[in-house]
């Protein structure tokens, strides 16, 4: 395995200049030398013992940058939010623990298990060193592992040149954690904290979406969207339509309250609403439905789907794909990033399935969907 270059002596390889020199404290476990990995990734790579509630092939490895001073952003629903009580090191992210591992050890483990891996992803956080450290970790991964790599980017830390730099270094796809699907909601939930040169703003997020789409091409960019932050069904379906028409994937997450976060006591969406939104997104993405093919009440709730026949809708639900976890694909287009527990606790039933739902799962999904009355 090739070793990771020392960030202090890293040579400039392109038009992007790393302007800051990090004052590394000895003994700290910060990126780029250390990263956090999801609990599911830790189990899959043998860093942690444990079993999934149901056995399935798991090959999506999610990394998260780690800094002693944490993420500078303060999103109302996020477990890593700056003002959420507790030490950053102990904070959970999407409700599950993210163990810290040494980057070199992790990459070596990924290299040995490469045949089982489907997608790798580095999640940035809003931190002045995030771009430089993501480049360093990307280089180490790309030199050693051929599994396609995504970056879930922190838009406040980026610009066009930096996105081009990711592309040059071998990144395959870009994800943008939009989460809130309207500007009003985004502003109310995602505090505008200056970091890395610019603030967390709706305009900057969309600028990065647009630049990434230009640089990485069709279906190589995705936006994470969350159900249950206060948006309406119309807001979500309108956003799916808008993204799909630009050949950008909308990926769906279910809001899952993080204890002690500002939205810690907000309930998650009902299962029926969640299932209907999953189906609506599938219809937009895979069956060319537009927002005009759905009907809404005055408060924006989904009340009907204009479908040629009820049978078509039932068939669309029954193929099960609508209810699988959305994520960047594997090398052959198969599900790559399946993030078990991204939208539900390990003790809860699946909100999204990291595998094709079984006949029994589909019976349960069908009753949760309550499709009667939605066909127009
Ligand atoms: S879907 Fe998974 S791999 Fe793709 S950007 Fe999101 S977290 Fe990363």
């Amino acid at each position: 395995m090739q070793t990771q270059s020392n960030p202090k002596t890293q040579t400039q390889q392109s038009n992007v200049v790393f302007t800051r020199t990090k004052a590394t404290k000895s003994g700290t476990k910060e990126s780029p030398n250390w990263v956090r990995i999801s609990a599911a990734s830790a189990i899959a790579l043998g860093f942690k013992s444990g079993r999934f509630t149901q056995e399935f092939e798991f090959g999506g490895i999610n990394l998260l940058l780690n800094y002693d001073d944490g993420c500078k952003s303060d999103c109302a629903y996020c477990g890593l939010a700056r003002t959420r009580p507790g030490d950053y090191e102990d904070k959970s992210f999407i409700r599950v623990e993210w163990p810290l591992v040494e980057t070199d050890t992790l990459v070596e483990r990924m290299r040995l298990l490469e045949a089982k891996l489907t997608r790798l992803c580095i999640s940035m956080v809003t931190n002045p060193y995030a771009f430089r450290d993501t480049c360093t970790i990307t280089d180490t991964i790309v030199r050693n592992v051929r599994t396609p790599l995504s970056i879930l980017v922190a838009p406040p830390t980026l610009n066009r040149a930096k996105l081009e730099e990711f592309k040059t270094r071998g990144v395959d796809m870009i994800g943008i954690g939009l989460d809130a699907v309207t500007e009003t909601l985004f502003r109310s939930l995602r505090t505008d904290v200056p970091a890395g040169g610019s603030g967390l703003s709706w305009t900057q997020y969309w600028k990065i979406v647009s630049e990434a789409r230009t640089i990485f091409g069709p279906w190589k960019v995705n936006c994470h969207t969350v159900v249950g932050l206060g948006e309406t069904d119309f807001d979500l379906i309108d956003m799916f339509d808008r993204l799909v028409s630009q050949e950008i994937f909308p990926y769906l997450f279910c809001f899952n309250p993080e204890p002690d976060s500002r939205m810690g006591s907000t309930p998650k969406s009902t299962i029926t609403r969640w299932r209907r939104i999953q189906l609506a997104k599938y219809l937009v993405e895979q069956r060319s439905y537009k927002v005009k093919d759905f009907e809404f009440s005055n408060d924006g709730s989904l009340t009907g789907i204009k479908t040629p026949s009820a049978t078509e809708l039932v068939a669309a639900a029954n193929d099960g794909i609508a209810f699988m976890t959305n994520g960047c694909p594997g090398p052959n287009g198969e599900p790559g990033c399946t993030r078990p527990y991204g939208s539900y606790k390990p003790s809860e039933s699946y909100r999204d399935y990291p595998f094709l739902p079984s006949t029994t799962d589909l019976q349960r999904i069908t009753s949760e969907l309550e499709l009667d009355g939605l066909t127009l």
Side-chain angles (χ1 to χ4, degrees):
M1 175 188 166
Q2 295 183 41
T3 52
Q4 191 170 297
S5 60
N6 182 337
K8 288 181 185 167
T9 58
Q10 187 178 25
T11 52
Q12 184 189 330
Q13 295 184 357
S14 72
N15 53 345
V16 175
V17 181
F18 299 114
T19 50
R20 297 181 194 229
T21 304
K22 188 175 182 181
T24 310
K25 290 175 274 178
S26 64
T28 61
K29 294 185 174 179
E30 295 191 302
S31 295
N33 296 328
W34 291 77
V35 288
R36 297 171 82 167
I37 56 174
S38 69
S41 303
I43 293 170
L45 294 174
F47 284 104
K48 184 175 154 62
S49 59
R51 287 167 60 95
F52 300 116
T53 41
Q54 182 172 330
E55 287 304 317
F56 60 95
E57 292 295 317
F58 177 78
I61 304 299
N62 297 85
L63 288 63
L64 174 67
L65 297 185
N66 188 67
Y67 298 102
D68 287 351
D69 54 354
C71 181
K72 306 289 185 197
S73 293
D74 197 32
C75 304
Y77 50 89
C78 183
L80 301 179
R82 191 173 40 83
T83 59
R84 184 182 174 217
D87 290 341
Y88 184 77
E89 177 114 348
D90 299 326
K91 288 179 180 176
S92 60
F93 181 46
I94 53 173
R95 285 204 67 140
V96 283
E97 178 202 341
W98 283 61
L100 257 175
V101 295
E102 231 169 329
T103 307
D104 280 353
T105 310
L106 170 68
V107 174
E108 173 63 1
R109 199 72 66 93
M110 294 195 299
R111 189 182 70 79
L112 293 173
L113 294 172
E114 184 189 271
K116 299 178 76 171
L117 304 184
T118 50
R119 173 66 57 174
L120 313 177
C121 184
I122 306 170
S123 294
M124 301 175 76
V125 295
T126 309
N127 186 287
Y129 304 113
F131 170 69
R132 188 202 61 186
D133 295 340
T134 302
C135 287
T136 303
I137 296 167
T138 294
D139 290 347
T140 310
I141 290 175
V142 169
R143 279 198 302 266
N144 291 285
V145 193
R146 284 165 296 179
T147 311
L149 174 67
S150 299
I151 310 280
L152 179 57
V153 300
T157 68
L158 296 180
N159 56 29
R160 185 185 179 101
K162 290 177 177 177
L163 285 167
E164 284 170 343
E165 183 71 19
F166 285 155
K167 175 88 174 154
T168 303
R169 288 175 186 251
V171 173
D172 175 57
M173 289 185 75
I174 293 293
I176 294 106
L178 192 64
D179 300 347
V181 294
T182 70
E183 182 169 4
T184 307
L185 202 55
F186 185 99
R187 282 179 187 276
S188 74
L189 299 179
R190 313 195 73 178
T191 314
D192 193 4
V193 178
S198 61
L200 200 63
S201 80
W202 177 259
T203 306
Q204 170 68 1
Y205 267 63
W206 280 100
K207 190 160 179 280
I208 293 300
V209 172
S210 167
E211 301 280 26
R213 172 62 182 80
T214 303
I215 295 163
F216 284 81
W219 308 117
K220 286 291 184 183
V221 176
N222 69 76
C223 284
H224 290 198
T225 60
V226 178
V227 178
L229 294 179
E231 74 296 319
T232 66
D233 296 345
F234 171 81
D235 295 332
L236 285 159
I237 295 170
D238 186 47
M239 179 60 73
F240 303 153
D241 191 351
R242 183 170 159 189
L243 292 170
V244 169
S245 66
Q246 296 175 70
E247 300 174 298
I248 295 170
F249 283 118
Y251 289 156
L252 206 52
F253 291 73
C254 186
F255 166 69
N256 197 16
E258 296 272 4
D260 302 326
S261 66
R262 294 206 301 283
M263 291 184 70
S265 55
T266 304
K268 62 201 300 181
S269 64
T270 65
I271 190 71
T272 297
R273 179 179 186 226
W274 166 250
R275 292 283 179 236
R276 289 177 169 190
I277 294 295
Q278 283 181 301
L279 181 62
K281 188 180 87 70
Y282 173 79
L283 294 172
V284 171
E285 203 173 81
Q286 303 291 333
R287 305 286 174 103
S288 304
Y289 280 56
K290 303 300 237 179
V291 69
K292 66 178 173 46
D293 297 318
F294 299 85
E295 290 212 340
F296 303 92
S297 61
N298 288 341
D299 68 359
S301 299
L302 179 64
T303 54
I305 303 174
K306 295 176 198 160
T307 180
S309 71
T311 320
E312 179 175 305
L313 209 54
V314 171
N318 278 346
D319 79 12
I321 293 169
F323 311 104
M324 291 177 69
T325 312
N326 297 152
C328 297
N332 304 308
E334 74 278 26
C337 170
T338 49
R339 303 181 309 276
Y341 317 133
S343 287
Y344 50 91
K345 286 187 280 187
S347 57
E348 293 173 332
S349 59
Y350 293 102
R351 284 255 159 169
D352 46 44
Y353 290 75
F355 48 81
L356 193 64
S358 67
T359 308
T360 311
D361 295 327
L362 283 169
Q363 283 166 353
R364 177 186 186 133
I365 290 168
T366 303
S367 74
E368 290 168 344
L369 257 175
E370 297 178 15
L371 269 184
D372 290 352
L374 265 192
T375 33
L376 297 174

